[in-house]
mmCIF file of all heavy atoms in Angstrom:
data_model
loop_
_atom_site.group_PDB
_atom_site.id
_atom_site.type_symbol
_atom_site.label_atom_id
_atom_site.label_comp_id
_atom_site.label_asym_id
_atom_site.label_seq_id
_atom_site.Cartn_x
_atom_site.Cartn_y
_atom_site.Cartn_z
ATOM 1 N N ARG A 140 186.302 193.089 -165.796
ATOM 2 C CA ARG A 140 186.930 192.664 -167.037
ATOM 3 C C ARG A 140 185.966 192.779 -168.225
ATOM 4 O O ARG A 140 186.324 193.288 -169.292
ATOM 5 C CB ARG A 140 187.427 191.219 -166.908
ATOM 6 C CG ARG A 140 188.619 191.046 -165.970
ATOM 7 C CD ARG A 140 189.836 191.663 -166.631
ATOM 8 N NE ARG A 140 191.071 191.301 -165.969
ATOM 9 C CZ ARG A 140 191.659 192.011 -165.012
ATOM 10 N NH1 ARG A 140 191.103 193.124 -164.585
ATOM 11 N NH2 ARG A 140 192.803 191.633 -164.489
ATOM 12 N N ILE A 141 184.756 192.323 -168.064
ATOM 13 C CA ILE A 141 183.785 192.352 -169.169
ATOM 14 C C ILE A 141 183.380 193.789 -169.485
ATOM 15 O O ILE A 141 183.219 194.155 -170.662
ATOM 16 C CB ILE A 141 182.558 191.503 -168.817
ATOM 17 C CG1 ILE A 141 182.977 190.039 -168.593
ATOM 18 C CG2 ILE A 141 181.516 191.585 -169.913
ATOM 19 C CD1 ILE A 141 183.681 189.408 -169.769
ATOM 20 N N ALA A 142 183.237 194.623 -168.458
ATOM 21 C CA ALA A 142 182.887 196.024 -168.696
ATOM 22 C C ALA A 142 183.983 196.725 -169.493
ATOM 23 O O ALA A 142 183.695 197.566 -170.364
ATOM 24 C CB ALA A 142 182.651 196.729 -167.364
ATOM 25 N N LYS A 143 185.241 196.380 -169.229
ATOM 26 C CA LYS A 143 186.332 196.974 -169.988
ATOM 27 C C LYS A 143 186.302 196.507 -171.441
ATOM 28 O O LYS A 143 186.576 197.300 -172.373
ATOM 29 C CB LYS A 143 187.675 196.610 -169.352
ATOM 30 C CG LYS A 143 187.928 197.292 -168.022
ATOM 31 C CD LYS A 143 189.247 196.880 -167.410
ATOM 32 C CE LYS A 143 190.421 197.417 -168.196
ATOM 33 N NZ LYS A 143 191.711 197.123 -167.522
ATOM 34 N N ALA A 144 185.972 195.241 -171.682
ATOM 35 C CA ALA A 144 185.877 194.730 -173.055
ATOM 36 C C ALA A 144 184.736 195.412 -173.808
ATOM 37 O O ALA A 144 184.903 195.806 -174.979
ATOM 38 C CB ALA A 144 185.686 193.220 -173.030
ATOM 39 N N VAL A 145 183.580 195.570 -173.160
ATOM 40 C CA VAL A 145 182.435 196.225 -173.803
ATOM 41 C C VAL A 145 182.750 197.691 -174.074
ATOM 42 O O VAL A 145 182.412 198.237 -175.141
ATOM 43 C CB VAL A 145 181.185 196.065 -172.933
ATOM 44 C CG1 VAL A 145 180.025 196.883 -173.490
ATOM 45 C CG2 VAL A 145 180.791 194.593 -172.835
ATOM 46 N N SER A 146 183.389 198.346 -173.118
ATOM 47 C CA SER A 146 183.759 199.741 -173.322
ATOM 48 C C SER A 146 184.730 199.894 -174.483
ATOM 49 O O SER A 146 184.640 200.862 -175.268
ATOM 50 C CB SER A 146 184.381 200.305 -172.042
ATOM 51 O OG SER A 146 184.828 201.627 -172.228
ATOM 52 N N PHE A 147 185.654 198.936 -174.636
ATOM 53 C CA PHE A 147 186.593 198.978 -175.759
ATOM 54 C C PHE A 147 185.854 198.870 -177.093
ATOM 55 O O PHE A 147 186.140 199.618 -178.039
ATOM 56 C CB PHE A 147 187.606 197.841 -175.615
ATOM 57 C CG PHE A 147 188.475 197.636 -176.804
ATOM 58 C CD1 PHE A 147 189.518 198.505 -177.090
ATOM 59 C CD2 PHE A 147 188.254 196.559 -177.669
ATOM 60 C CE1 PHE A 147 190.321 198.308 -178.202
ATOM 61 C CE2 PHE A 147 189.058 196.376 -178.775
ATOM 62 C CZ PHE A 147 190.091 197.243 -179.051
ATOM 63 N N LEU A 148 184.873 197.965 -177.179
ATOM 64 C CA LEU A 148 184.118 197.797 -178.423
ATOM 65 C C LEU A 148 183.268 199.028 -178.726
ATOM 66 O O LEU A 148 183.249 199.519 -179.869
ATOM 67 C CB LEU A 148 183.233 196.554 -178.333
ATOM 68 C CG LEU A 148 183.946 195.194 -178.263
ATOM 69 C CD1 LEU A 148 182.933 194.079 -178.063
ATOM 70 C CD2 LEU A 148 184.767 194.938 -179.513
ATOM 71 N N ASN A 149 182.540 199.531 -177.729
ATOM 72 C CA ASN A 149 181.599 200.628 -177.962
ATOM 73 C C ASN A 149 182.286 201.964 -178.155
ATOM 74 O O ASN A 149 181.966 202.709 -179.096
ATOM 75 C CB ASN A 149 180.611 200.722 -176.803
ATOM 76 C CG ASN A 149 179.762 199.477 -176.643
ATOM 77 O OD1 ASN A 149 179.227 199.200 -175.571
ATOM 78 N ND2 ASN A 149 179.617 198.685 -177.690
ATOM 79 N N ASN A 150 183.212 202.299 -177.269
ATOM 80 C CA ASN A 150 183.789 203.639 -177.257
ATOM 81 C C ASN A 150 185.020 203.779 -178.152
ATOM 82 O O ASN A 150 185.237 204.841 -178.730
ATOM 83 C CB ASN A 150 184.144 204.049 -175.827
ATOM 84 C CG ASN A 150 182.940 204.047 -174.903
ATOM 85 O OD1 ASN A 150 181.899 204.626 -175.217
ATOM 86 N ND2 ASN A 150 183.065 203.383 -173.756
ATOM 87 N N ASP A 151 185.852 202.751 -178.216
ATOM 88 C CA ASP A 151 187.087 202.845 -178.989
ATOM 89 C C ASP A 151 186.925 202.355 -180.426
ATOM 90 O O ASP A 151 187.484 202.942 -181.354
ATOM 91 C CB ASP A 151 188.205 202.056 -178.297
ATOM 92 C CG ASP A 151 188.510 202.578 -176.905
ATOM 93 O OD1 ASP A 151 188.243 203.769 -176.652
ATOM 94 O OD2 ASP A 151 189.030 201.803 -176.070
ATOM 95 N N CYS A 152 186.195 201.256 -180.593
ATOM 96 C CA CYS A 152 186.064 200.666 -181.928
ATOM 97 C C CYS A 152 184.744 201.025 -182.620
ATOM 98 O O CYS A 152 184.579 200.719 -183.809
ATOM 99 C CB CYS A 152 186.191 199.147 -181.839
ATOM 100 S SG CYS A 152 187.728 198.560 -181.117
ATOM 101 N N LYS A 153 183.791 201.641 -181.912
ATOM 102 C CA LYS A 153 182.471 201.971 -182.439
ATOM 103 C C LYS A 153 181.790 200.727 -183.013
ATOM 104 O O LYS A 153 181.229 200.713 -184.100
ATOM 105 C CB LYS A 153 182.568 203.049 -183.524
ATOM 106 C CG LYS A 153 183.188 204.359 -183.056
ATOM 107 C CD LYS A 153 182.417 204.956 -181.882
ATOM 108 C CE LYS A 153 183.073 206.250 -181.395
ATOM 109 N NZ LYS A 153 182.349 206.818 -180.232
ATOM 110 N N LEU A 154 181.878 199.651 -182.227
ATOM 111 C CA LEU A 154 181.246 198.382 -182.570
ATOM 112 C C LEU A 154 180.177 198.056 -181.550
ATOM 113 O O LEU A 154 180.251 198.477 -180.393
ATOM 114 C CB LEU A 154 182.281 197.258 -182.625
ATOM 115 C CG LEU A 154 183.395 197.371 -183.681
ATOM 116 C CD1 LEU A 154 184.423 196.274 -183.484
ATOM 117 C CD2 LEU A 154 182.817 197.323 -185.091
ATOM 118 N N VAL A 155 179.199 197.283 -181.968
ATOM 119 C CA VAL A 155 178.118 196.842 -181.088
ATOM 120 C C VAL A 155 178.157 195.316 -181.033
ATOM 121 O O VAL A 155 178.065 194.643 -182.077
ATOM 122 C CB VAL A 155 176.742 197.324 -181.590
ATOM 123 C CG1 VAL A 155 175.630 196.817 -180.662
ATOM 124 C CG2 VAL A 155 176.703 198.843 -181.676
ATOM 125 N N HIS A 156 178.314 194.786 -179.847
ATOM 126 C CA HIS A 156 178.343 193.333 -179.684
ATOM 127 C C HIS A 156 176.964 192.749 -179.923
ATOM 128 O O HIS A 156 176.805 191.770 -180.650
ATOM 129 C CB HIS A 156 178.853 192.968 -178.289
ATOM 130 C CG HIS A 156 178.996 191.496 -178.073
ATOM 131 N ND1 HIS A 156 177.945 190.689 -177.709
ATOM 132 C CD2 HIS A 156 180.087 190.684 -178.169
ATOM 133 C CE1 HIS A 156 178.365 189.446 -177.579
ATOM 134 N NE2 HIS A 156 179.671 189.417 -177.846
ATOM 135 N N GLY A 157 175.978 193.299 -179.279
ATOM 136 C CA GLY A 157 174.590 192.927 -179.534
ATOM 137 C C GLY A 157 174.034 191.840 -178.643
ATOM 138 O O GLY A 157 172.807 191.736 -178.499
ATOM 139 N N ASN A 158 174.850 191.006 -178.036
ATOM 140 C CA ASN A 158 174.288 189.917 -177.226
ATOM 141 C C ASN A 158 175.183 189.605 -176.021
ATOM 142 O O ASN A 158 175.645 188.479 -175.842
ATOM 143 C CB ASN A 158 174.095 188.666 -178.077
ATOM 144 C CG ASN A 158 173.201 187.632 -177.409
ATOM 145 O OD1 ASN A 158 173.212 186.473 -177.743
ATOM 146 N ND2 ASN A 158 172.400 188.040 -176.432
ATOM 147 N N VAL A 159 175.439 190.618 -175.204
ATOM 148 C CA VAL A 159 176.201 190.414 -173.966
ATOM 149 C C VAL A 159 175.296 189.714 -172.962
ATOM 150 O O VAL A 159 174.235 190.223 -172.593
ATOM 151 C CB VAL A 159 176.710 191.748 -173.406
ATOM 152 C CG1 VAL A 159 177.467 191.522 -172.107
ATOM 153 C CG2 VAL A 159 177.594 192.455 -174.417
#
Side-chain angles (χ1 to χ4, degrees):
R140 290 290 193 267
I141 299 303
K143 290 179 69 174
V145 173
S146 176
F147 170 75
L148 293 175
N149 298 158
N150 301 310
D151 299 335
C152 302
K153 301 302 178 181
L154 297 173
V155 179
H156 184 277
N158 195 200
V159 179

